[in-house]
Amino acid sequence: MTTLRNILITSALPYANGPIHIGHLVEYIQTDIWARFQKMRGHHCWYVCADDAHGTPIMLRARQEGITPETLIARIAAEHQADFAAFRIGFDNYHSTHSPENQHFSNLIYRRNHDAGHITRRIITQAYDPIEQMFLPDRFIKGECPKCGAANQYGDNCEVCGASYSPAELKNARSAISGAIPEQRESDHYFFQLADFETLLREWTRSGSLQKEVANKLDEWFTTGLQQWDISRDAPYFGFEIPDHPNKFFYVWLDAPIGYLASFQNLCDRTEGLDFEQFWAKDSTAELYHFIGKDIIYFHALFFPAMLHGAGFRVPSAIFAHGFLTVDGQKMSKSRGTFIKARTYLDHLNPEYLRYYFAAKLGSGVDDIDLNLEDFTARVNSDLVGKVVNIASRCSGFIHKHFAGQLAAELAHPTLFAEFIAAGDSIAVAYEQREFNRAVREIMALANRANQYIDEKAPWVIAKQPERQAELQAVCAMGINLFRVLIGYLRPILPGTAADSEAFLRIEPLTWAALATPLLAHEIAPFKPLMVRVDSAQITAMLEESKEDLTAMTTAPTAPVANPHLIRDPIAPAIDYDTFAKTDLRIALIREAKLVAGADKLLQLTLDLGGETRNVFAGIRSAYDPKELEGKLTVMVANLAPRKMRFGISEGMVLAAGPGGKDLFILNPDSGAEPGMKVK
């Protein structure tokens, strides 16, 4: 008999400054599969998460949109939760770091560490934006790399040569917010003494609580010496004010992981019998697991456990890190349309296809995984539609046509059924160890065996022989029972399909233990398609829509340098002068302008270059009635390669400028300009 476990699971908190994309979903799908498996096994398991809702980027974006940060994070939270629900991410609670519970625990953990001597205060010098009147985070300073000279690099590291440095070392530094030259000013800050916990952290990181490769990576921190961690930020800042220190705020990375405690406390307050202390007290025997990306290991495996220990809370049982997502072997790209938002995917494809494909790729390590779209299509069509769902489809028709939906009273081949049930032990171990790819392989091997059985028995042949009706019922009932076991094993991965299958089978939600009892003398419902094949046209449409998102961005305006209410988009990587000089700018006459069906931001323009006509899609719909544009002159990039969009071919790019919205201006040159004239 399995011993019941008390398990609390978290995923890293998505940042409340933008939409969920398929790269994010690797983590939430991985975590959800593991949580659903534990619940299916009968354990007391809770899965909580929240929006990470504080920090400078959120403050600035809200200012840019002319709304409060609270309004912004409420809108993003609704979008995030809708996307997660559509992808069947089964949180038991989804909260926010901008909450009373999180403020309580942030203050409590700070005060306990402060009173124990683990917090110190000292004056530091940092970059200050005199126009914005704020201290600048490293990522909001741009300049030339002090090592290789590359332009437009962030204030903490160079994306060209990989060097790390301080913002003060950056050459020709500018504020990425206002464009001003940063000043160096002093401010008192609060630091967490990470070195106070070196012994604890050395032991914990080598205790088996981390993957081996993660523990090895953390050794670098111990080799160089654990440094003080700056946990404060100066006003203006969207976050929690540090107790007794006006205009000083907790750094977002202090209160973000504390959001796990806050979300669980919020759940406990609404759930009878659920005790916070049982899971978070220092002497807790419950299991606590964090699923995170490999890019935030330091915060979760060093800073967070040290702060928890210093405040009298338990440390995690384990932290499971995963790698990044590539698409077709490359980093996700907006220009190729492979930077795919969750909502864009949902507009075209079944979310469970992606859940299955990720599961088929995910192991227990931190290696990156690749979404190969051709393989994705083939695997979904072959495995899910062709192997698993096809079993129910092939057998149920005979059961309803000949036996009014009634299954046989006995198993035709109990030995084969027993083999399927026995395989559950190995599949369960694979799930438990987060070797989802191995679990999928073993389940699909069983699916192959089930289809082989049906092919061997050939019920379509038996059905033509009236004297073999009992055999027909037995064979098809056996197939239905094998399907039930397969869908049970896949239930953590395909919860929606499993629920539809349970309705078809007319059974209660499947548990792992229930799979061993076959359905006998039981009436099933008429079969309805559980999945349909992926059409390559759906993939193409999804990629094209993702490219359209980029088209809108490329024609969007950049904020004026000194405007304190807007933040500029990140500057693209530098190009040399010869490359820039190849850009051919031409005067064009707008012959015709019209709306584009299905696009909120685009207009379709017919441009006359003085004898040559071009079709161009431009993201300026918010600023112009199409008829107002006809007869006007504009400037276009004439030698831009044609690009296929889902609305047609775009044969260039129109240049526009302004602060945005209705104030987006097509350049109308002096009356001496003529179509086709080159702009220098």
Side-chain angles (χ1 to χ4, degrees), residues 333-354:
S333 164
K334 291 177 179 176
S335 63
R336 292 192 302 272
T338 56
F339 191 95
I340 303 166
K341 296 176 185 177
R343 186 52 49 181
T344 305
Y345 176 97
L346 291 166
D347 287 342
H348 297 275
L349 293 165
N350 184 333
E352 303 222 325
Y353 297 161
L354 193 66

Side-chain angles (χ1 to χ4, degrees), residues 553-573:
M553 291 174 56
T554 56
T555 55
T558 344
V561 169
N563 191 328
H565 302 294
L566 296 171
I567 176 172
R568 294 185 294 180
D569 290 334
I571 298 173

Side-chain angles (χ1 to χ4, degrees), residues 190-208:
Y190 297 84
F191 292 82
F192 178 66
Q193 301 281 83
L194 188 61
D196 291 355
F197 302 90
E198 181 171 352
T199 300
L200 165 79
L201 293 172
R202 280 185 179 274
E203 293 176 354
W204 182 74
T205 57
R206 286 299 179 182
S207 67

